[in-house]
């Protein structure tokens, strides 16, 4: 019989000298010093989650745990580096043997050690998104797929389909039917491309980012002896942002922990907002049931927000049924000002209010970088961008490019530019390149033919269906080229220019909607952008005025070329809520709180409780970004240039908390309309 013998750690107390009791609050201390085993830490917004994880690693090292037996999994390399550096600053131990990083980086390390078992070599290439797109496009080009009669999904869209299938475990046919129904007739071809793409990666000794997880899982399933090596090595597994794990990541953790390793999963179910990219909140909700003798710790002391904001946030999230019960408590004193609820006449008035209040806050001493405007979807920032540009308020956008710099907005604008300036070579070629079968050389040839026609230099507006009968139009593009002529005819009825909004509508419905569906995996968001452009166009009668305004607002600082002599360092932040997760500001403006805008209209129509609860969690995330002041606003009217004004219902989320928790503001014009920068506004508070 073998004798058990345990090596004792050197010294008496913690080698780091950390007084954990003094450094941590009671909730953090309980989690950090918990005994080995399975633990779920529900760490609320602003409660010191990173601090808890960092001190947990330090505590394990102080208990004599070898750093090589610790695995720290995160969702960003930045988070992994930050936590490792904090641990290194806390303890005298050598932490270099500790494995810390994203799921993908850890998967890469494991696969580099055992590639032959999966048919690869150690020098396998990791494909970035451009590489992946190129291979998928080459696969499609090499297959017998007839794309002349109708559009086949572009490589980006196909890659998104394949990624969603692999990260969720759902069948590809179901993903297409639910998320890409307009490609349902292409099911067989899409499946064939998927299989050919997988074969091509193996032939070229390449893996994409999804493979770094899936191939690791495949390795562990097929080779239990290799899994046993890592189970023995990683005796203490810590996982950050566990609510964001997908099916593959959750199974990887469960496999590594199956032999009895300690696991501490840290996260917040109330901030699970990424189901659209495969995250499954069920992983965190079911964690205590999947792991025997699991202890649940709750960290509910918030160091970020004032009590007035936290009380509102707690009340808002209680409307969700699927959640862990918790209430955040503020470590700060009462601020004395309740969150503001601000109904406004329309989107333009909302933008004017936000811009004016931002300037007032700056005058009151709040730095611009401590102010953020948050929204559900990027297109909802259009009026804000325009108003801030008009008032010369510097801003940065984390949710995407400035509205008029986006490719799809510039595509649509190219139609209007060419119609009004038939010598615009750039716009002509941009339009031509949108059509199937036309590349850069083809666009050059068509431009030469257009110049030969003489219509580039003539003043009168032509009959487009006739003058566009040019030599050199590829057979594959002929149908779409003919449709282009009809669209341009609609844009110039009776030999005159239509109104800008009508022109945008003609482009969108005539051909560009099909292009969006085939080219972008976020089709619905991009279509919403174009619809917003249409709404903005409703403010103009003359297309030349409209195009001039687009050019001015499209430059980075309202100046030609987007440059200023002095670089602004102080800027407010415009961000989607998804991009804002993990960030904080003294003052937050949460805009477009109207049903159909937030929550999203498609989710309201779907009548799906799980989807609606995720929308409410997104609302909760937005509320908890604010430290001192919170302004919630919504336009009561939404002008639709092609269908009339719509009366909007306030967001149903505003019904989830008592009205006495907010201060309602009534905003009324003082004189005139200040859309052009003049005029002013009176604010009566409370309502």
């Amino acid at each position: 019989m073998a004798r058990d013998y345990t090596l004792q750690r050197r010294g008496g107390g913690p080698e780091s000298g950390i007084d954990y009791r003094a450094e941590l609050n009671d909730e953090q201390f309980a989690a950090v010093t918990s005994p080995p085993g399975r633990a779920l830490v529900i760490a609320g917004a602003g409660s010191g989650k990173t601090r808890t994880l960092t001190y947990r690693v330090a505590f394990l090292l102080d208990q004599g745990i070898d750093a090589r037996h610790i695995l720290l999994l995160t969702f960003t390399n930045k988070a992994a580096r930050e936590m490792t550096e904090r641990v290194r600053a806390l303890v005298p131990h050598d932490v270099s043997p500790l494995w810390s990083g994203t799921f993908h980086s850890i998967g890469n390390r494991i696969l580099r050690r055992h590639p032959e078992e999966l048919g690869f070599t150690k020098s396998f290439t990791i494909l970035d998104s451009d590489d992946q797109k190129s291979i998928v496009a080459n696969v499609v080009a090499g297959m017998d797929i007839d794309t002349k009669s109708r559009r086949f999904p572009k490589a980006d869209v196909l890659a998104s389909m394949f990624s969603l299938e692999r990260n969720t475990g759902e069948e590809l046919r179901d993903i297409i039917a639910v998320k890409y129904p307009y490609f349902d007739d292409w099911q067989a071809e899409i499946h064939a491309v998927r299989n050919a793409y997988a074969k091509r990666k193996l032939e070229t000794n390449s893996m994409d980012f999804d493979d770094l997880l899936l191939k690791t899982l495949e390795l562990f399933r097929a080779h239990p002896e290799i899994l046993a090596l890592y189970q023995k090595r990683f005796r203490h597994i810590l996982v950050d942002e566990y609510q964001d794990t997908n099916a593959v990541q959750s199974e990887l953790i469960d496999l590594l922990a199956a032999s009895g390793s300690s696991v501490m999963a840290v996260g917040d179910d109330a901030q699970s907002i990424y189901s659209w990219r495969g995250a499954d909140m069920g992983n965190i909700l079911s964690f205590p049931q999947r792991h025997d003798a699991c202890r649940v710790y709750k960290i509910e002391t918030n160091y970020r927000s004032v009590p007035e904001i936290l009380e509102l946030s707690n009340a808002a999230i209680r409307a969700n049924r699927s959640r862990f019960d918790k209430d955040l408590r503020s470590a700060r004193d009462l601020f004395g000002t309740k969150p503001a609820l601000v109904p406004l006449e329309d989107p333009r008035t909302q933008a004017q209010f936000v811009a004016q209040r931002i300037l007032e806050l700056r005058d009151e001493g709040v730095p611009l970088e401590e102010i953020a405007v948050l929204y559900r979807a990027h297109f909802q920032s259009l009026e804000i961008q325009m108003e801030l540009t008009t008032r010369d308020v510097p801003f940065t956008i984390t949710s995407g490019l400035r509205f008029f710099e986006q490719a799809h907005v510039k595509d649509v604008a190219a139609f209007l530019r060419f119609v009004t300036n038939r010598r615009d070579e750039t716009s002509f070629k941009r339009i031509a390149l949108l059509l199937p079968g036309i590349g850069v050389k083809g666009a050059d040839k068509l431009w030469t033919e257009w110049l030969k026609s003489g219509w580039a230099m003539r003043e009168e507006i032509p009959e487009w269906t006739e003058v566009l009968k040019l030599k050199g139009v590829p057979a594959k593009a002929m149908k779409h080229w003919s449709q282009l002529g009809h669209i341009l005819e609609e844009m110039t009825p009776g030999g005159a220019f239509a109104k800008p909004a009508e022109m945008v509508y003609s482009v969108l419905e005539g051909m560009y909607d099909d292009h969006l569906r085939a080219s972008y995996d976020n089709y619905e968001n991009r279509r919403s952008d174009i619809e917003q452009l249409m709404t903005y166009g409703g403010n103009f009668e003359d297309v030349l005025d409209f195009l001039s305004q687009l050019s001015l607002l499209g430059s980075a600082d309202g100046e030609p070329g987007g440059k200023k002599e002095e670089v602004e360092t102080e800027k407010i932040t415009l961000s989607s809520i998804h991009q804002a997760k993990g960030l904080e500001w003294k003052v937050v403006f949460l805009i477009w709180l109207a049903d159909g805008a937030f929550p999203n209209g498609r989710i309201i129509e779907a009548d799906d409780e799980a989807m609606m609860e995720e929308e409410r969690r997104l609302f909760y995330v937005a509320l908890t970004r604010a430290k001192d002041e919170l302004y919630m606003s919504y336009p009561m009217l939404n002008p639709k240039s092609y269908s009339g004004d719509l009366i909007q219902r306030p967001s149903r989320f505003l019904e989830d908390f008592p009205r006495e928790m907010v201060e309602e503001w009534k905003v009324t014009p003082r004189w005139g309309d200040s859309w052009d920068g003049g005029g002013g506004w009176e604010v009566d508070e409370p309502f």
Side-chain angles (χ1 to χ4, degrees):
M1 178 181 293
R3 178 184 297 185
D4 291 332
Y5 185 83
T6 303
L7 291 175
Q8 302 296 320
R9 66 184 302 275
R10 298 189 302 274
E15 291 186 22
S16 67
I18 297 172
D19 184 346
Y20 291 93
R21 199 72 201 80
E23 293 291 328
L24 305 167
N25 66 31
D26 292 344
E27 297 161 335
Q28 294 168 339
F29 180 79
V32 166
T33 62
S34 61
R38 313 301 172 91
L40 175 64
V41 180
I42 303 298
S47 64
K49 171 181 62 68
T50 300
R51 184 178 184 83
T52 300
L53 271 171
T54 301
Y55 274 80
R56 175 63 176 178
V57 175
F59 180 78
L60 291 174
L61 295 171
D62 273 341
Q63 300 307 301
I65 303 299
D66 193 315
R68 69 187 301 272
H69 292 312
I70 301 174
L71 172 64
L72 175 59
L73 289 163
T74 66
F75 273 84
T76 66
N77 289 312
K78 179 181 177 182
R81 287 194 301 269
E82 179 183 348
M83 281 190 264
T84 303
E85 289 304 316
R86 288 194 188 187
V87 171
R88 188 173 282 114
L90 283 172
V91 300
H93 311 279
D94 178 15
V95 299
S96 57
L98 181 152
W99 278 33
S100 67
T102 65
F103 282 87
H104 293 87
S105 66
I106 297 300
N108 177 53
R109 291 182 70 172
I110 293 172
L111 291 171
R112 294 288 181 189
R113 296 179 173 207
H114 316 278
E116 292 84 2
E117 285 82 353
L118 298 170
F120 294 84
T121 73
K122 290 184 178 180
S123 60
F124 67 81
T125 297
I126 299 176
L127 305 172
D128 62 21
S129 58
D130 287 338
D131 298 330
Q132 183 182 28
K133 175 182 173 181
S134 177
I135 291 180
V136 172
N138 288 335
V139 166
V140 172
M143 300 179 72
D144 185 22
I145 299 177
D146 178 18
T147 60
K148 293 182 181 179
S149 57
R150 51 198 172 92
R151 291 183 186 271
F152 188 70
K154 295 289 182 64
D156 283 348
V157 178
L158 290 167
S160 294
M161 292 178 184
F162 304 157
S163 181
L164 201 56
E165 176 199 22
R166 303 172 80 200
N167 283 294
T168 63
E170 296 179 23
E171 293 290 334
L172 179 57
R173 68 182 66 258
D174 295 331
I175 288 172
I176 295 170
V178 174
K179 296 186 178 296
Y180 304 90
Y182 34 87
F183 292 131
D184 206 43
D185 291 343
W186 287 114
Q187 283 272 5
E189 291 84 355
I190 292 172
H191 277 78
V193 172
R194 186 269 313 272
N195 296 336
Y197 171 58
K199 182 180 179 182
R200 183 71 61 85
K201 286 187 293 180
L202 187 59
E203 292 171 347
T204 58
N205 196 37
S206 304
M207 296 189 195
D208 59 31
F209 279 97
D210 291 331
D211 287 322
L212 298 179
L213 300 182
L214 286 154
K215 294 296 182 183
T216 303
L217 190 56
E218 181 183 331
L219 178 72
F220 286 166
R221 287 172 176 167
H223 298 277
E225 74 283 3
I226 294 177
L227 172 62
L229 289 175
Y230 291 96
Q231 289 174 331
K232 185 176 181 180
R233 172 163 187 149
F234 301 130
R235 306 305 300 167
H236 293 269
I237 303 169
L238 295 91
V239 189
D240 188 20
E241 302 285 12
Y242 189 78
Q243 79 280 350
D244 293 334
T245 55
N246 60 32
V248 179
Q249 292 160 333
S250 178
E251 186 175 350
L252 280 172
I253 296 164
D254 290 352
L255 282 175
L256 286 171
S259 66
S261 296
S262 293
V263 180
M264 176 174 283
V266 181
D268 183 6
D269 57 294
Q271 297 188 71
S272 179
I273 58 175
Y274 296 116
S275 67
W276 49 275
R277 66 184 188 195
D280 184 357
M281 193 182 73
N283 294 338
I284 192 170
L285 293 179
S286 65
F287 190 90
Q289 288 73 48
R290 299 198 327 273
H291 295 273
D292 294 338
C294 176
R295 296 176 300 276
V296 178
Y297 299 91
K298 296 179 183 178
I299 305 179
E300 300 171 292
T301 303
N302 175 287
Y303 293 92
R304 175 187 299 154
S305 305
V306 294
E308 293 91 339
I309 292 174
L310 283 189
E311 289 173 9
L312 177 65
S313 305
N314 288 331
I317 201 62
R318 284 192 199 106
N320 274 6
R321 297 180 182 179
S322 300
R323 67 185 188 93
F324 287 104
D325 187 34
K326 70 174 182 301
D327 276 313
L328 295 181
R329 302 179 303 274
S330 179
R332 299 179 57 188
D333 294 331
L334 286 167
F335 189 67
T337 301
K338 295 179 180 180
L341 179 60
V342 192
L344 293 148
E345 182 178 355
D346 55 27
R348 289 165 47 172
T349 312
Q350 179 175 244
Q352 293 162 354
F353 167 75
V354 171
Q356 177 171 311
R357 188 71 190 117
I358 286 172
L359 292 173
E360 291 169 350
L361 289 164
R362 184 183 65 179
D363 292 342
E364 293 168 12
V366 180
L368 289 183
E369 63 264 27
E370 284 286 357
I371 302 173
V373 181
L374 305 184
Y375 34 82
R376 173 66 177 82
H378 182 53
F379 72 86
Q380 294 167 350
S381 68
L382 171 58
E383 290 86 5
I384 301 292
Q385 291 186 47
M386 292 189 294
E387 186 67 18
L388 294 176
T389 301
T390 299
R391 297 184 185 228
D392 200 27
V393 179
F395 61 90
T396 185
I397 303 174
T398 65
S399 54
L401 295 171
R402 290 174 181 248
F403 188 86
F404 299 111
E405 295 172 350
Q406 298 175 108
H408 51 294
V409 174
K410 294 176 76 171
D411 284 346
V412 172
F415 286 80
L416 279 65
R417 294 184 193 281
F418 177 64
V419 160
T420 55
N421 176 15
R422 294 184 293 281
R423 286 183 279 176
D424 187 338
E425 178 181 359
T426 301
S427 294
F428 178 93
K429 291 180 177 179
R430 189 179 190 105
I431 295 168
L433 289 169
L434 295 174
L435 306 184
I438 299 179
V440 173
K441 290 184 178 179
D444 288 340
K445 291 179 181 178
L446 287 171
W447 175 249
T448 300
E449 290 299 318
W450 173 247
L451 292 178
K452 288 180 181 178
S453 75
W455 277 101
M457 306 302 295
R458 296 175 66 170
E459 292 294 329
E460 67 270 29
I461 297 174
E463 293 184 9
W464 291 101
T465 51
E466 292 299 319
V467 302
L468 282 182
K469 293 178 179 178
L470 305 176
K471 294 180 181 179
V473 178
K476 186 177 181 181
M478 189 62 71
K479 176 183 175 182
H480 299 89
W481 189 261
S482 176
Q483 179 63 18
L484 171 61
H486 292 296
I487 292 169
L488 299 183
E489 292 279 10
E490 282 190 10
M491 297 170 70
T492 55
F497 297 134
K499 293 181 180 179
E502 295 169 353
M503 286 187 170
V504 174
Y505 182 79
S506 294
V507 175
L508 178 62
E509 298 301 330
M511 65 181 293
Y512 198 70
D513 185 75
D514 288 340
H515 173 77
L516 287 176
R517 289 180 188 272
S519 304
Y520 300 108
D521 61 326
N522 59 345
Y523 153 73
E524 290 173 335
N525 289 340
R526 291 179 186 259
R527 181 182 169 94
S528 294
D529 285 344
I530 304 305
E531 290 175 345
Q532 195 72 7
L533 179 67
M534 198 186 313
T535 299
Y536 176 55
N539 299 311
F540 297 84
E541 292 292 323
D542 187 293
V543 65
L544 297 178
D545 289 344
F546 176 65
L547 290 173
S548 296
Q549 195 68 7
L550 293 193
S551 298
L552 292 173
L553 292 170
S555 63
D557 293 296
E559 298 288 342
K563 296 180 180 179
K564 279 190 173 182
E565 292 183 3
E566 296 182 7
V567 177
E568 297 278 3
T569 57
E570 187 184 3
K571 300 180 180 180
I572 70 164
T573 298
L574 307 186
S575 176
S576 70
I577 303 167
H578 284 101
Q579 292 286 338
K581 184 175 176 291
L583 304 176
E584 60 184 39
W585 295 270
K586 285 184 179 295
V587 182
V588 167
F589 291 85
L590 179 55
I591 62 173
W592 277 98
L593 277 171
D595 262 8
F598 193 13
N600 182 277
R602 296 186 302 277
I603 291 173
I604 294 174
E605 293 173 7
D607 195 25
D608 185 302
E609 182 177 356
M611 294 170 66
M612 186 58 71
E613 290 205 348
E614 179 159 338
E615 284 288 282
R616 187 175 284 107
R617 292 194 296 273
L618 192 61
F619 179 56
Y620 173 83
V621 168
L623 300 180
T624 53
R625 299 311 95 200
K627 294 192 285 187
D628 296 344
E629 297 184 52
L630 173 65
Y631 297 86
M632 299 177 291
S633 65
Y634 63 91
M636 293 179 284
L637 285 177
N638 185 13
K640 293 286 186 180
S641 59
Y642 55 98
S643 59
D645 289 355
L646 298 178
I647 298 175
Q648 297 199 132
R649 179 181 181 273
S651 172
R652 60 195 62 197
F653 298 152
L654 299 177
E655 301 170 1
D656 291 337
F657 51 82
R659 279 302 172 98
E660 55 265 25
M661 287 187 171
V662 298
E663 181 178 65
E664 295 191 45
W665 289 30
K666 180 182 179 182
V667 178
T668 55
R670 180 179 298 163
W671 66 82
D673 180 1
S674 65
W675 181 241
D676 61 358
W681 299 89
E682 286 181 342
V683 179
D684 300 327
E685 46 184 279
F687 179 64

